Amino acid sequence: TQLLEQSPQFLSIQEGENLTVYCNSSSVFSSLQWYRQEPGEGPVLLVTVVTGGEVKKLKRLTFQFGDARKDSSLHITAAQTGDTGLYLCADKGGSNYKLTFGKGTLLTVNP
Amino acid sequence: GAGVSQSPRYKVAKRGQDVALRCDPISGHVSLFWYQQALGQGPEFLTYFQNEAQLDKSGLPSDRFFAERPEGSVSTLKIQRTQQEDSAVYLCASSQRDGVYGYTFGSGTRLTVV
């Protein structure tokens, strides 16, 4: 069974700071997805990465996928209060459809 | 609809009571998933439908949990004889295929068993 470890578990920063959160897998990722979940809402897909070494940018968010496809990071530049939420990584592992999620990083950006 | 709609948003049930949670997926989405999210955890897979066929129910915690999607659109997750450990957020997601482009999640139903 694939295990996804996310770190840190909690992160509290001031607006304008930069941050990085991590996702590590016990086995090679098949198709890694990053989601953000705001309080009281469902997760919203941010990005899907497939190729080892891939880097994707989404405005102030930069997603990196490790060469060995067992680790990934999400870097946020100049965090804003609207970035507050639970950041989840997820992968299908050996399944065609079933997502396995990490426990997430709970980010709080203070004004 | 524009998104995945779940109802009710909140449900308080007395221990032993039966509950039914509804999911209305995005129109035309073939695949439908149910996930359970305990406090402070990531979502965990419960079950998967492709149209009206339930192809995987391996994540259902016990035989008290039952899901159906009789006409290939709306789905209902039923929990019989609720117990305190059933308290969680139940998320429904849909996708055009097997989630190859990611899922669209609903806002969830928060179930509290007292």
Side-chain angles (χ1 to χ4, degrees):
Chain A
T1 304
Q2 183 184 30
L3 293 176
L4 301 185
E5 280 196 31
Q6 292 192 244
S7 61
Q9 190 175 354
F10 302 97
L11 187 57
S12 180
I13 62 170
Q14 295 300 121
E15 199 168 23
E17 292 182 357
N18 302 331
L19 67 112
T20 302
V21 299
Y22 302 91
C23 175
N24 292 286
S25 175
S26 58
S27 56
V28 173
F29 288 118
S30 64
S31 173
L32 175 64
Q33 301 176 10
W34 281 95
Y35 290 81
R36 178 170 65 213
Q37 184 175 23
E38 297 184 14
E41 299 297 327
V44 174
L45 180 67
L46 297 174
V47 76
T48 299
V49 287
V50 178
T51 306
E54 189 173 4
V55 176
K56 283 193 173 180
K57 291 193 174 184
L58 188 66
K59 297 184 180 178
R60 295 175 294 101
L61 278 60
T62 301
F63 302 86
Q64 288 192 301
F65 200 22
D67 290 338
R69 296 175 61 225
K70 292 185 71 175
D71 61 278
S72 180
S73 65
L74 160 58
H75 182 79
I76 300 179
T77 303
Q80 300 175 357
T81 55
D83 296 327
T84 291
L86 180 67
Y87 288 81
L88 295 159
C89 64
D91 187 54
K92 289 186 179 179
S95 169
N96 287 331
Y97 54 84
K98 183 190 307 185
L99 275 181
T100 297
F101 284 85
K103 291 185 178 181
T105 293
L106 185 59
L107 171 66
T108 303
V109 182
N110 302 297
Chain B
V4 178
S5 179
Q6 291 189 247
S7 62
R9 286 297 311 272
Y10 304 93
K11 177 69 179 178
V12 178
K14 291 185 177 179
R15 192 168 51 184
Q17 187 178 359
D18 296 350
V19 299
L21 313 180
R22 177 188 168 105
C23 173
D24 206 334
I26 292 173
S27 178
H29 275 193
V30 169
S31 298
L32 185 145
F33 308 83
W34 284 97
Y35 282 78
Q36 180 190 59
Q37 187 173 24
L39 192 63
Q41 304 292 319
E44 291 194 1
F45 172 82
L46 293 177
T47 188
Y48 162 54
F49 289 87
Q50 191 172 92
N51 295 307
E52 69 279 3
Q54 188 175 20
L55 299 186
D56 188 341
K57 55 181 181 179
S58 63
L60 297 177
S62 74
D63 58 8
R64 296 185 296 103
F65 286 71
F66 172 76
E68 60 182 3
R69 194 186 185 196
E71 296 179 358
S73 55
V74 171
S75 176
T76 304
L77 176 66
K78 298 179 179 178
I79 309 173
Q80 297 177 322
R81 305 181 303 281
T82 53
Q83 300 177 6
Q84 282 194 313
E85 59 263 31
D86 299 336
S87 295
V89 174
Y90 290 86
L91 295 165
C92 176
S94 69
S95 70
Q96 290 180 319
R97 288 171 56 192
D98 294 330
V100 63
Y101 301 116
Y103 302 164
T104 302
F105 281 87
S107 297
T109 294
R110 179 175 294 278
L111 173 66
T112 303
V113 182
V114 297

